[in-house]
Amino acid sequence: MATQTLTLEQRLENAKAALEKADQAQVLKYYDQLTDDQKEQILGQIESIDWVECTRLVQSHVLNKPEFKAPESIQPDPYLPRIPGKDLADRYKKAKKAGEKLLREGKVAAFTVAGGQGTRLGWDGPKGSYPATAIRKVPLFCCFAEFIRKAEQKFNTTIPWYIMTSPINDAATRAFFEEHGNFGLRPDNIMIFPQGMMPAFDAKTGKALLETPDSLAMAPNGHGGSLKALYTSGALEDMKNRGIEQLSYVQVDNPLVKVIDPLFIGLHAEANGDMSSKALPKAYPKEKVGVFCIVDGKHSVIEYSNLPDELAEMRDDDGELVYKGGSIAIHVISTDFIERINTQDGGFALPYNRADKKVGYWDEANQVTVKPEEPNAVKLETFVFDALPMCAESIILETDRIEEFSPIKNADEPGALDCPATCKQGQTERAARWLAEYGVVIPRKEDGSVDAVIELSHMKAIDPEDLKELDLPSEIDAGTEVLI
Ligand code: UTP
């Protein structure tokens, strides 16, 4: 029976039964002290959770650490090189054309996952609202919007933009888009939808934590939740109605990412790919990125922590790392694939992963939500790359750090990596590389880094070839800030 037709009392009885079976009756500890609205809220949360699945996960992932089962067979999943040799030149040329054609025909959409909590950065607001660019400090969302607008102009097309939020940042994200006039994009081409949530569990007891008397401590269920949320939110249906065939998947924290890459889209489409990926060659053997592998005959990503040292460090005859292709969460996913996995018999389930995090919990004695200093809880998350084993076809294309990867994960502090300061350098370095290709003289410091700050707006260029049309300076003066 639909919950709307039940009385609060009936809903309470159902909730009690589910929670008692799951040994989580503490969730209703303060129920009798709540107002009707508060009762609605906590019952709604309880009803949104699969407590049978949680009981299993508390055993396997909270009270115990899930064990990684070593695969029977494992080998590296080869990737296509960033720059094709003679043998691949024709294939790349054809693929780029095919990608551009799909774009011109309006068959490609952009997808940004922005449901994470961004706890490491510590920014007060959705991560997409973080002022990210080197000089103008435009927010990450604006950076992507500018990319989309430029690509729309270039390919004389419409590129709908789907953005996954979580119930925690959905309202703030919508308000941010509205406040900024959707960054110049038409609102009917933007669809924002929230992902699913999971309760956070006390790491020692396995009990679901209450954040306040009327609310569980809930956390987004990982970027893997996108594959279900695209379906349940109606985004997939909207895409199908618009004739979208390919979805270009990027994360909200990397302003250098090619939101739309015709070559990558074309290589994927020409191979009839279900879900394809970009790979970044690891900088050193134990770099903390998942690695593309073929596991028991299937495309997979193995987390760095699960890849045995001898494999992580294995080199071929040329001294190159054998397990080298790092996963940086850039994908193209075909809408047929999203539909297929969601509508197949029994649906699909991605494996959960354990993340030890600091999660606020209700302190009854002091009547406050305590923000712990150390991780106290387990969040359960699924990863989008765990859909790769379900793919019949998938390609991997190499990219490189300067070109496409400088995420903002952490707050600035001395020595920090993947933070706003390193991202500013990354943006400058890529702009310098593109400008140098067109003859602009770039000042460099002794250590080889660019002796200037350069921001190349996506409205001007999303690919070096776009610089052809611009009036460029002949050189950049040392120590200056240059906005192009
Ligand atoms: P991260 O793994 O960096 O997590 O997300 P995060 O939540 O943003 O940051 P921390 O770990 O709390 O500091 C990588 C990408 O996946 C998205 C994020 O928004 C980011 O774009 N993501 C992550 C989701 O959309 N949903 C999630 O549940 C988790």
Side-chain angles (χ1 to χ4, degrees), residues 182-475:
N182 296 302
F183 307 104
L185 289 163
R186 276 182 35 190
D188 54 337
N189 289 329
I190 298 177
M191 180 169 174
I192 299 176
F193 60 92
Q195 68 176 107
M197 302 278 276
M198 281 293 270
F201 295 94
D202 183 294
K204 288 204 185 96
T205 63
K207 298 290 181 197
L209 288 170
L210 285 171
E211 190 180 7
T212 51
D214 63 343
S215 178
L216 280 155
M218 300 281 281
N221 61 4
H223 40 64
S226 59
L227 293 171
K228 266 209 179 106
L230 279 165
Y231 184 70
T232 53
S233 65
L236 183 72
E237 196 182 347
D238 185 70
M239 280 180 235
K240 289 269 165 175
N241 291 339
R242 290 171 188 258
I244 300 295
E245 292 178 5
Q246 305 296 349
L247 192 58
S248 179
Y249 172 111
V250 302
Q251 301 195 147
V252 76
D253 52 21
N254 179 15
L256 286 188
V257 71
K258 289 187 184 161
V259 180
I260 296 290
D261 180 348
L263 171 64
F264 181 37
I265 293 165
L267 284 167
H268 160 87
E270 293 279 283
N272 278 323
D274 291 320
M275 172 170 165
S276 292
S277 315
K278 280 199 183 166
L280 185 70
K282 285 194 295 183
Y284 50 94
K286 291 200 192 164
E287 187 174 358
K288 291 185 174 176
V289 286
V291 176
F292 290 104
C293 298
I294 305 266
V295 172
D296 300 337
K298 295 190 171 132
H299 299 289
S300 301
V301 167
I302 296 216
E303 279 284 17
Y304 62 90
S305 47
N306 287 332
L307 190 69
D309 285 359
E310 70 268 24
L311 297 187
E313 283 164 16
M314 187 185 282
R315 292 187 186 268
D316 63 17
D317 293 344
D318 299 326
E320 292 281 344
L321 288 174
V322 173
Y323 290 87
K324 192 171 167 196
S327 166
I328 49 168
I330 305 175
H331 302 282
V332 178
I333 312 174
S334 84
T335 47
D336 281 350
F337 176 66
I338 302 169
E339 185 169 31
R340 193 174 82 225
I341 59 176
N342 278 286
T343 54
Q344 71 199 2
D345 276 351
F348 74 100
L350 300 181
Y352 274 95
N353 298 273
R354 170 188 172 125
D356 288 87
K357 299 270 179 170
K358 298 177 219 166
V359 173
Y361 62 92
W362 184 247
D363 174 359
E364 189 175 4
N366 296 305
Q367 295 287 296
V368 284
T369 303
V370 178
K371 298 230 147 74
E373 298 287 321
E374 295 299 323
N376 60 320
V378 172
K379 287 188 191 173
L380 295 166
E381 298 184 338
T382 57
F383 298 150
V384 74
F385 53 71
D386 278 326
L388 286 171
M390 294 189 278
C391 295
E393 299 297 337
S394 166
I395 61 107
I396 307 174
L397 175 63
E398 178 189 12
T399 183
D400 90 353
R401 220 168 280 268
I402 292 181
E403 208 55 36
E404 211 170 6
F405 191 60
S406 193
I408 299 177
K409 298 271 186 203
N410 304 306
D412 274 334
E413 59 178 88
L417 295 176
D418 295 342
C419 61
T422 53
C423 183
K424 188 171 163 184
Q425 281 165 6
Q427 293 170 43
T428 294
E429 199 54 61
R430 183 176 77 176
R433 176 196 269 191
W434 288 11
L435 291 167
E437 262 184 54
Y438 283 82
V440 180
V441 179
I442 305 293
R444 296 218 171 245
K445 297 182 192 157
E446 260 176 26
D447 64 4
S449 63
V450 178
D451 189 8
V453 177
I454 315 173
E455 180 176 332
L456 188 49
S457 158
H458 280 151
M459 287 307 292
K460 297 279 174 60
I462 54 176
D463 188 279
E465 70 188 12
D466 302 330
L467 296 181
K468 258 187 264 167
E469 295 152 20
L470 302 181
D471 205 6
L472 299 175
S474 55
E475 69 179 292

Side-chain angles (χ1 to χ4, degrees), residues 2-18:
T3 49
Q4 301 90 299
T5 60
L6 299 180
T7 63
L8 271 186
E9 285 69 30
Q10 287 167 320
R11 290 172 67 190
L12 175 62
E13 284 317 304
N14 291 346
K16 268 189 186 157

Side-chain angles (χ1 to χ4, degrees), residues 150-194:
K150 177 71 181 172
E152 288 188 331
Q153 279 169 15
K154 216 173 143 174
F155 300 106
N156 188 23
T157 193
T158 297
I159 302 174
W161 187 15
Y162 298 86
I163 299 156
M164 185 177 79
T165 57
S166 82
I168 300 169
N169 66 13
D170 186 74
T173 303
R174 286 171 196 277
F176 194 70
F177 270 74
E178 220 172 289
E179 240 169 69
H180 290 83
N182 296 302
F183 307 104
L185 289 163
R186 276 182 35 190
D188 54 337
N189 289 329
I190 298 177
M191 180 169 174
I192 299 176
F193 60 92

